[in-house]
Amino acid sequence: MKGRLEIVYRTPKGAEVAFTSEEMTAAKALLMAEDLQKSGRLKQAIFIDRSEHEWTTIQLKAYLEEIKTEPHNITVYFDGGFDINTRKAGLGCVIYYEQNGKKLRIRKNALVAEMETNNEAEYAALHLAIQELELLGAHHLPVMFTGDSQVVINQLEDEWPVMEKELTSWLDKIEGKLKEMGIQPEYKLISRKNNQEADRLATQALNEVEVTSQSEWK
């Protein structure tokens, strides 16, 4: 969870001033607030998440303690590759997350048939990632979804209209599942160069090389 920290600081002579931080993680915000409290001059500290929900430091500490054993700080990379001759698509996704004090990674790909376009393959890759999130037990938290398809990312963000029937079907399926899981999606467009891991998995799937793995990373 990310948001901003709003604090009211009191000087030794009683003057007060309010500050608003840049966006940061909840863990960093709590660390900053607790450090300021040690000075004895912090009058108030409120964390405001991206949904404009306000958290006291006590509530924020309880929340961070609660999610330690659950998947959190999740970032998903997805990519789809399409073979126009066979109408097959290779889907690849990588999920980075934290759980029980460890940084973990899931890598998954799949080969599917009867695709129409590369954009449909991209949507199918995102749907594969969401299925993996469901198996992981991720729910009721923000998730960053990262891909290199400008069309798909802009459609997911409602910046571009969805005209194709098959893409509308995928979009409805994805949004329905995210709502069911309580996932608050954020979308980020990156270059193909920065999406190499998911791209490689998609290519491996097209070459009928199946990958399913979970590992710790640093």
Side-chain angles (χ1 to χ4, degrees):
M1 177 169 64
K2 291 185 177 182
R4 64 187 187 275
L5 185 63
E6 294 192 353
I7 64 173
V8 176
Y9 182 83
R10 178 182 289 161
T11 69
K13 293 185 178 181
E16 294 182 0
V17 62
F19 294 98
T20 300
S21 75
E22 60 184 14
E23 187 175 80
M24 62 180 72
T25 64
K28 184 177 180 180
L30 180 62
L31 181 66
M32 297 297 296
E34 289 181 334
D35 189 64
L36 286 167
Q37 284 175 336
K38 293 176 183 177
S39 70
R41 297 174 185 172
L42 183 66
K43 181 179 179 181
Q44 178 179 285
I46 298 293
F47 179 75
I48 303 175
D49 63 28
R50 287 177 171 176
S51 299
E52 296 299 314
H53 179 74
E54 296 185 357
W55 304 71
T56 65
T57 54
I58 293 175
Q59 291 171 329
L60 198 57
K61 189 172 184 178
Y63 166 78
L64 290 171
E65 189 65 32
E66 180 183 341
I67 67 170
K68 274 185 180 179
T69 59
E70 299 181 0
H72 58 281
N73 289 345
I74 302 173
T75 299
V76 173
Y77 293 83
F78 68 94
D79 195 31
F82 178 64
D83 186 332
I84 193 170
N85 295 314
T86 63
R87 291 179 59 200
K88 291 182 178 180
L91 318 180
C93 68
V94 186
I95 301 172
Y96 288 91
Y97 66 103
E98 295 178 27
Q99 189 173 16
N100 294 319
K102 296 181 179 180
K103 293 183 177 181
L104 301 166
R105 177 185 67 174
I106 290 174
R107 299 168 69 241
K108 175 72 176 179
N109 70 359
L111 178 65
V112 295
E114 301 302 319
M115 289 279 135
E116 296 294 333
T117 64
N118 189 71
N119 288 334
E120 187 179 6
E122 294 278 0
Y123 271 109
L126 175 56
H127 187 259
L128 174 68
I130 293 170
Q131 288 179 312
E132 289 300 307
L133 287 177
E134 187 173 29
L135 291 172
L136 185 62
H139 59 89
H140 297 95
L141 78 174
V143 173
M144 175 65 74
F145 294 97
T146 310
D148 59 36
S149 170
Q150 187 175 23
V151 170
V152 172
I153 294 296
N154 281 329
Q155 288 178 342
L156 289 165
E157 291 190 313
D158 291 329
E159 295 292 333
W160 291 3
V162 185
M163 309 299 291
E164 298 87 347
K165 183 179 178 180
E166 64 273 9
L167 299 190
T168 299
S169 177
W170 280 109
L171 185 59
D172 289 344
K173 190 184 301 184
I174 286 167
E175 291 183 340
K177 178 56 70 174
L178 291 175
K179 184 176 181 180
E180 177 187 319
M181 295 167 63
I183 297 295
Q184 302 142 41
E186 300 172 45
Y187 300 106
K188 182 179 180 181
L189 179 65
I190 60 173
S191 67
R192 189 179 182 84
K193 180 181 178 181
N194 291 328
N195 202 29
Q196 289 183 5
E197 197 170 14
D199 176 71
R200 190 179 305 114
L201 286 167
T203 300
Q204 288 174 315
L206 278 173
N207 292 328
E208 299 187 9
V209 178
E210 184 179 350
V211 178
T212 300
S213 70
Q214 183 178 34
S215 59
E216 190 170 354
W217 64 283
K218 295 182 179 181

